[in-house]
Every structure is written in structure tokens, then in C-alpha cells.
Amino acid sequence: MKKILFMMMILVSTVFADQTALNSILKNISIPNVDKTIKNANVLKENLNEQNFKKFLSSWKKVEALYFAGEIDNDYLDTPRYIDVFHNLKEDLKEQMQRVIASKDEPNIALFKNSFKTINALEYVLFNDDKITKREKLLSLAILDSIVSHLNDIKGVYTQYLSSKPKSETWENAMIINSLIASTYRLKEWRIGDPSGNSSKYKDNADNKRAEYFLSKSSFLAIKSILDAHEEIMGESKYLNFGKMAVQSGAKAEVAEVENAIHNSLNELKKLKNDDFSNAKDLYEDVKSLHNAYYLSLIEQLAITAKILDADGD
Amino acid sequence: MNDFFALEYLINPNKRIFWVYILSSILITIIYFYFNSRSKKVVLSSKLWLHPSAKLDYYYFFISYFVKVFMLIPIVVSAKTIAFFVNKHLYLQFDYYENTFFSYEVVIVMYTLSLFLISDFSRYWLHRFLHKIPFLWEFHKVHHSAKVLTPITFYRVHPIENLLYGIRYSLSIGFVTGIFIYFFGAMIDIYSVLGVNIIVFVFSILGANLRHSHVQVSFGEKIEKWFISPKQHQIHHSRRHFNKNYGGTLAIWDRLFGSLSLSKEVKILKFGLRKNQMNDYLSVFDLLIKPFKLLILNKILKKRKLK
């Protein structure tokens, strides 16, 4: 009865009693995704072409979409921004990168700013024109080295967490659901809403140039990767993922709602071509449904048990 | 139903008479007796513990439990419902907010404090309304009809008052939680000991059970301006000082709204209602039904006067 306090519901399942959802996700999703991104970065280093860039980008988006390292260890809160500055940069990166390319300084000196060593900077270097010059190649390799170093940091945080005493499961599950909510918000508002003119900031003012990877025409690919990452954490799987754990905790309908929204978004994305956001309203609405499914439905499955000392009177 | 029976009340840290709180109260009493042996005789007397008023508290404690479980709990909207209602409307009104400023630890501190402050503040006002609004006073009189105070007197509360406290709880805690969910998502938790808000736990350990007792523990003038001591609550039960010390844990509300009384200001404590009123509250049936009877009676008398 009068119990107050709020504790997350999502409890340990009996089937997977020996591990938490976060442990399983780190082991089966996060670390493999980081490994794949590092591998793809190295492949790109070997051969700087469009196909390899897209492979690398696609794997990175999965890591970024389910980024937990910053919450696990506060020292790594900014790491994603050392890799990807989309929507987090006030200056004009393209103009600055043009200066970097034109300069004669050593790559490590020319790339003195963190933002110069990001995937966005790499995209500019590789796709600002049809040709990759020797200078651009050197810069690309330096950028990729920096990114791989950060990816190794992320992997280190995850590996360390798996081998150390875990934090409370309540905290872990809260952290996962907050990350999923934030990820879908950015997907909806920044990555789809801004270029398609559906976000509150750019209402009815579509412009493909606002797309995340406009130069390489990889924005839809990035969106697909993010949705795939959500599918990995919420959909059917052999291992314990967040969706499976939530179902076992009684949130079957809410998980089905999430899955449905992911599938609808992926289907809608298939209909759109050539990174053109002018007809992306339905995609925006589907991703909005996904965000709402996390925020308004799944979060309500948190067990809120009122626990307060007798408040009968005085 | 697992909250039922006295035994459960003794082993549940969320209950005022949890064995640890009782034990700490006994320890404080022993220390108190070491310095003030005069009240020892009264407190240890069987006359106090077997007084008809105390016995009535014991019986009522059991009966009122059924009323709460079967009649009140099903009708009180939960704090969880309120919390999600508030969160949903904030989200629909202001869109999603992502916290990137406060760490998890800071959120826990803020939430723990906010819950405690809002809960204590709303308790102060509900308690004050129970005294100041004549209709509500008829129900709250049940609690003040105790002639002697024992920790069980805490449970001598009319179901209507229980209902009001339940609504107060759901609204205040639900509101705070809804706001916190909006700003911090699922990352809300509290610092607790044995599942109880740490502030409430500390307060309970520091002799909360002595509030309803004849052990006149005072915190001293300086502390009593901030926290309500057992003696201050006993003053509130004293017939001449019903309008003082409405506060639960904090004394700042009483100080702010002019109802604070310090221990040193009151020497003689006489508990219960006026003599002519005491006969209205002699049985469990009286405690449950009398307020309704008196309200109807008052209404009839008022009508007659008007005529």
C-alpha cells in the first residue's frame, strides 16, 4: 500500500538469471559492433573508396545509436563527439576542412581540432570532389587513426564493465531505455525532421543539404543502420536483449509496439530514394511513433512502487 | 494482503512501528531516563499501557487495517498514474527534453530531497486543514481523542483522514515523479536504507515513535526551529495547543506559517479532547461512526438555528 518510491521494474528474468540485459547487450551487440567498425575503418584505410566508406559509416552508426560508454564511465561522455559532430558543431566544418586540405602542414598538425578528426571531416575530405589527392589520402588516414583510437577506448570501457562488478540492474535498465529514447529523438528531429522540414525548427522548410551525410549521399544508409541497431536491441534474438528482457517483465504489448514502429520505419525508408528527404513525412511519423513507443509506453512499464513510511496521519 | 497483521508492521521498514525504529526509540528513552528519571514512573506504568484509551488504540489498529485495505486503497488513484499523466502532458506540451547536464548521482540526490520536501510540505498543509476546516476537524478529532499516547496512537486515524492522506500522497509524489521522469527519463532513483527514503529512515531512527508517547524528548531550541522533536508533537496533542506544530519532520513550515511552538514554551501537557467530548470516542464503533453522526447533528442544529 502506501509505498512510495520509484524503482525500475524491469527485473531479472528467471531464464537469464545469471546475467543482466546490459551485460548480454555489451557482449552480443555493442562489442561486436565496435569490432566491426574498427575492422571496416582498417579496410577503408587500405582502400579509400566510396563503398568502404559506406561500410565503415554504417557500422559506426550502430555503435553511436547504442552508445553506453559515457554513462558507464563519465570520462567517455564526449567520445562520440570526437568521432561524429553532426548537429553538435556551430562552425562551418566544410570551410575549415578546405583550409586543412589547402595547408601544407603535416596531417597531425593540420588536424589540430577534434572536429577535424571526425567522420564528418573525413566525408568532406573524401567527397568534396571526384578525386582523392595524395594530401587528402594522408589526411584521411590520420583521421581514421584517430577514430580507431576512440573506438578502442569505447571497446575498453565495455570490456572493463563486463569484467568488473556491475552497477545495479535498475540503473543499467534505466540507462538503456534513456539511450534508446534519446537516440530515436535525434533520429526523428535531427536526421529526418531537419532535412525534410518536419522538425519544429525547420517546419515546412525542407532542404536536403541539412541531411547528416549530404556529400556522400549516405544519410538514408545512416538512418537504416540506426534502425537496425534498435532492431538488434529490441527484436528477436538468441541472446538476452532489452526487448526480450522487457517481454519477460510483462511489457509484451509495449515491445510489440516498438518492433512494429521499427519495421514500419524500415519499410518506409525503403520507399525513399537518392537521399531525397522531400517525401520523408511518413518516415518522420513512423520514427515519431517509435520514439513515443519508448517514451510513452515502455517507460511506463517501470515499476513504480510507492514506498513511504506510514503516512496515515500525525 | 502481505502488509497485514501486527507482525508485518513490525518487520516492514516502511511502517512507523518497524522493530528497528521501536528499538531505537527504546534506546533513546533509556538515555532520556538517565537524565530525567521523573517521567520514568509514568512511562513504565501499566496504567499507561493498559489505559482504556491505549486499549482502544490497540483494537482500532486491527480493525482500521481492514477498512484501509478493502475500502480505501482500491479507490485512491496511484502515484504512478499521476506521475505518468504529468510526464505525458509535459512531453506533449513541451516535446522531449534530454538531460545532458546532471549526472545520475545528482539526479538521485535531487529526487530524494524533492520527494521528502514535497511530501513533508503537503503533510503540513493537510494536517493544518484537518484542524482548521470544521468538516475535516470532525474526522481528525478521532486522532486527538487519545487520552494517553502510545506509538500505536499513530494509527488512531479515521478512514476519511486516511483517504485524504492517500490522495495527498498520490498527488504530491506523483507530481514530483512526473516532473523528474520528464527531465531525467528512467534515470530516477532515491537514496534509501532498507527501501525507505534515507531522510525518512534517519528521522524514524531518531525516535519518531516517541512523538506518540509520554517521553518528552526535546531537540533543543536551535534544532527545534528546523526539525520537529517528539516533545513538539506532544505539544500538538496537548488540548491547549492543537493549533501548534502541524509539521511532520521539518519545523520550517510551522515557522514560516506561524504555528511553531518550542518545547521550552509548554510545561504541562494534557492530552485528549475536552471532557464533554471524550465520551464520544470510547469504542471502535465510536471512532468510525461518530464523526458522521456529529456532522449530521451539527447540520440539523444549524438548520434549526437558521429557522
Side-chain angles (χ1 to χ4, degrees):
Chain A
M1 68 195 214
K2 287 152 232 143
K3 310 189 156 190
I4 269 218
L5 243 206
F6 289 80
M7 294 198 145
M8 303 293 291
M9 114 180 188
I10 307 190
L11 298 167
V12 188
S13 81
T14 46
V15 182
F16 298 94
D18 58 332
Q19 65 176 337
T20 63
L22 181 64
N23 267 323
S24 175
I25 289 163
L26 293 181
K27 217 179 293 174
N28 295 294
I29 302 176
S30 304
I31 293 175
N33 280 343
V34 179
D35 279 339
K36 196 176 173 192
T37 312
I38 293 171
K39 189 182 150 208
N40 287 341
N42 288 326
V43 170
L44 180 60
K45 273 172 73 182
E46 294 292 318
N47 194 351
L48 288 167
N49 64 33
E50 184 180 345
Q51 194 192 350
N52 286 345
F53 173 79
K54 290 197 173 187
K55 265 189 187 170
F56 165 60
L57 173 94
S58 174
S59 51
W60 155 243
K61 282 289 130 182
K62 284 190 175 185
V63 175
E64 190 192 35
L66 307 177
Y67 184 72
F68 307 125
E71 294 294 344
I72 291 172
D73 184 339
N74 285 346
D75 288 347
Y76 296 90
L77 264 175
D78 289 327
T79 302
R81 281 186 281 279
Y82 297 147
I83 302 177
D84 196 325
V85 283
F86 174 65
H87 219 277
N88 278 310
L89 200 65
K90 283 174 185 156
E91 56 212 278
D92 185 350
L93 186 63
K94 288 161 195 165
E95 193 184 297
Q96 291 181 316
M97 286 314 292
Q98 194 53 55
R99 264 188 247 134
V100 171
I101 294 168
S103 105
K104 285 181 182 160
D105 290 336
E106 285 287 307
N108 286 334
I109 294 166
L111 300 167
F112 64 95
K113 270 190 175 182
N114 281 323
S115 56
F116 296 171
K117 290 176 272 188
T118 58
I119 195 164
N120 314 85
L122 178 67
E123 188 200 25
Y124 186 83
V125 172
L126 294 177
F127 295 93
N128 69 87
D129 54 27
D130 295 337
K131 202 179 155 195
I132 302 171
T133 63
K134 199 179 167 190
R135 168 77 177 163
E136 286 171 340
K137 191 176 176 183
L138 284 173
L139 288 170
S140 300
L141 296 180
I143 292 171
L144 280 164
D145 280 342
S146 170
I147 292 175
V148 167
S149 155
H150 290 305
L151 287 166
N152 276 319
D153 285 348
I154 296 170
K155 186 181 174 182
V157 174
Y158 293 159
T159 312
Q160 169 72 25
Y161 190 77
L162 287 177
S163 61
S164 57
K165 195 183 165 210
K167 291 191 182 179
S168 80
E169 196 177 2
T170 298
W171 173 84
E172 288 183 349
N173 292 327
M175 190 260 297
I176 294 171
I177 196 159
N178 267 16
S179 299
L180 296 175
I181 291 168
S183 165
T184 47
Y185 178 77
R186 291 171 195 149
L187 181 60
K188 168 177 80 84
E189 286 297 294
W190 301 357
R191 298 187 163 90
I192 303 168
D194 284 356
S196 67
N198 289 292
S199 65
S200 43
K201 195 174 173 186
Y202 297 107
K203 199 86 195 143
D204 300 324
N205 176 19
D207 185 350
N208 282 332
K209 282 183 190 158
R210 287 191 211 109
E212 188 172 14
Y213 298 105
F214 172 70
L215 282 179
S216 61
K217 298 248 179 295
S218 309
S219 304
F220 284 172
L221 179 69
I223 293 169
K224 183 179 182 309
S225 287
I226 292 166
L227 288 167
D228 285 344
H230 281 261
E231 175 65 30
E232 281 179 7
I233 203 169
M234 294 303 299
E236 289 286 320
S237 69
K238 285 179 186 166
Y239 47 82
L240 177 67
N241 65 5
F242 197 70
K244 194 172 261 186
M245 185 272 299
V247 167
Q248 284 160 2
S249 307
K252 195 178 171 188
E254 290 75 12
V255 172
E257 192 184 338
V258 167
E259 278 205 83
N260 193 37
I262 295 172
H263 294 151
N264 288 345
S265 305
L266 283 166
N267 287 336
E268 197 55 44
L269 186 64
K270 274 185 201 160
K271 294 180 195 166
L272 303 173
K273 305 287 174 205
N274 303 322
D275 261 28
D276 179 8
F277 283 86
S278 54
N279 292 312
K281 184 160 176 38
D282 288 344
L283 176 63
Y284 177 82
E285 291 300 329
D286 286 329
V287 175
K288 188 177 177 181
S289 302
L290 174 60
H291 178 66
N292 286 348
Y294 282 130
Y295 192 82
L296 295 176
S297 302
L298 198 56
I299 204 171
E300 292 200 10
Q301 283 305 307
L302 312 174
I304 289 175
T305 325
K307 275 189 194 163
I308 197 165
L309 194 109
D310 275 334
D312 287 349
D314 237 324
Chain B
M1 282 302 288
N2 57 354
D3 280 344
F4 189 42
F5 295 133
L7 184 64
E8 208 284 337
Y9 274 69
L10 286 170
I11 58 171
N12 185 344
N14 292 295
K15 300 293 177 192
R16 177 68 70 86
I17 55 169
F18 175 49
W19 70 271
V20 175
Y21 308 147
I22 292 281
L23 194 68
S24 70
S25 297
I26 291 171
L27 286 173
I28 292 168
T29 304
I30 291 169
I31 296 165
Y32 178 79
F33 284 163
Y34 183 79
F35 295 102
N36 305 275
S37 53
R38 267 190 303 173
S39 56
K40 197 172 172 182
K41 204 176 165 187
V42 179
V43 175
L44 297 180
S45 150
S46 62
K47 275 185 185 170
L48 168 70
W49 297 96
L50 298 176
H51 187 282
S53 170
K55 280 184 184 169
L56 182 56
D57 284 350
Y58 309 148
Y59 302 140
Y60 188 73
F61 170 68
F62 286 99
I63 302 297
S64 66
Y65 182 82
F66 283 103
V67 178
K68 277 188 272 180
V69 168
F70 293 110
M71 292 173 70
L72 297 182
I73 293 168
I75 60 170
V76 177
V77 63
S78 76
K80 181 179 173 178
T81 306
I82 302 284
F84 288 127
F85 177 84
V86 170
N87 173 52
K88 186 177 179 177
H89 281 82
L90 284 172
Y91 170 69
L92 294 176
Q93 191 70 33
F94 303 107
D95 204 2
Y96 169 71
Y97 172 84
E98 187 185 358
N99 162 52
T100 50
F101 190 71
F102 295 107
S103 70
Y104 179 56
E105 287 72 22
V106 173
V107 172
I108 298 180
V109 171
M110 291 195 302
Y111 185 54
T112 306
L113 268 174
S114 301
L115 278 181
F116 169 71
L117 284 174
I118 295 294
S119 185
D120 205 58
F121 181 70
S122 59
R123 284 191 77 171
Y124 170 87
W125 276 106
L126 177 55
H127 192 185
R128 191 169 170 142
F129 289 147
L130 285 163
H131 279 265
K132 296 292 179 189
I133 299 171
F135 172 79
L136 298 180
W137 170 239
E138 287 302 340
F139 296 103
H140 192 54
K141 253 163 58 179
V142 169
H143 184 61
H144 281 274
S145 65
K147 183 79 183 152
V148 296
L149 301 182
T150 74
I152 301 295
T153 309
F154 176 71
Y155 295 99
R156 184 194 274 228
V157 175
H158 193 275
I160 294 292
E161 187 176 327
N162 283 138
L163 178 70
L164 292 171
Y165 270 103
I167 294 168
R168 170 212 69 93
Y169 164 73
S170 292
L171 287 176
S172 59
I173 301 306
F175 188 70
V176 174
T177 303
I179 291 173
F180 269 79
I181 292 177
Y182 175 72
F183 282 111
F184 308 112
M187 299 285 267
I188 55 167
D189 206 342
I190 63 157
Y191 282 117
S192 61
V193 179
L194 303 174
V196 182
N197 188 319
I198 190 163
I199 305 169
V200 180
F201 185 86
V202 169
F203 170 72
S204 305
I205 284 282
L206 292 176
N209 279 301
L210 299 179
R211 291 159 68 90
H212 297 106
S213 80
H214 293 250
V215 185
Q216 296 180 15
V217 171
S218 148
F219 290 163
E221 191 178 347
K222 278 185 183 165
I223 298 177
E224 283 187 345
K225 283 181 179 173
W226 295 95
F227 297 97
I228 296 283
S229 70
K231 170 85 186 277
Q232 279 177 294
H233 191 71
Q234 290 157 17
I235 290 173
H236 172 74
H237 273 269
S238 167
R239 280 202 290 269
R240 288 187 180 178
H241 306 89
F242 283 171
N243 60 345
K244 294 289 178 187
N245 300 345
Y246 299 115
T249 305
L250 295 175
I252 51 174
W253 318 124
D254 280 299
R255 196 140 58 100
L256 269 173
F257 303 109
S259 53
L260 186 70
S261 178
L262 303 174
S263 291
K264 64 168 189 177
E265 292 166 6
V266 181
K267 300 289 175 206
I268 298 165
L269 301 174
K270 284 188 177 173
F271 304 134
L273 302 167
R274 287 200 308 270
K275 245 185 189 173
N276 61 330
Q277 293 177 316
M278 287 304 285
N279 289 335
D280 288 334
Y281 306 95
L282 298 176
S283 67
V284 170
F285 185 79
D286 283 345
L287 297 187
L288 289 171
I289 302 300
K290 214 66 172 191
F292 295 112
K293 277 188 175 175
L294 290 172
L295 278 170
I296 294 166
L297 201 71
N298 285 343
K299 210 168 187 183
I300 293 168
L301 286 173
K302 237 182 185 179
K303 268 189 180 174
R304 279 186 188 165
K305 267 187 185 176
L306 282 172
K307 279 178 184 173

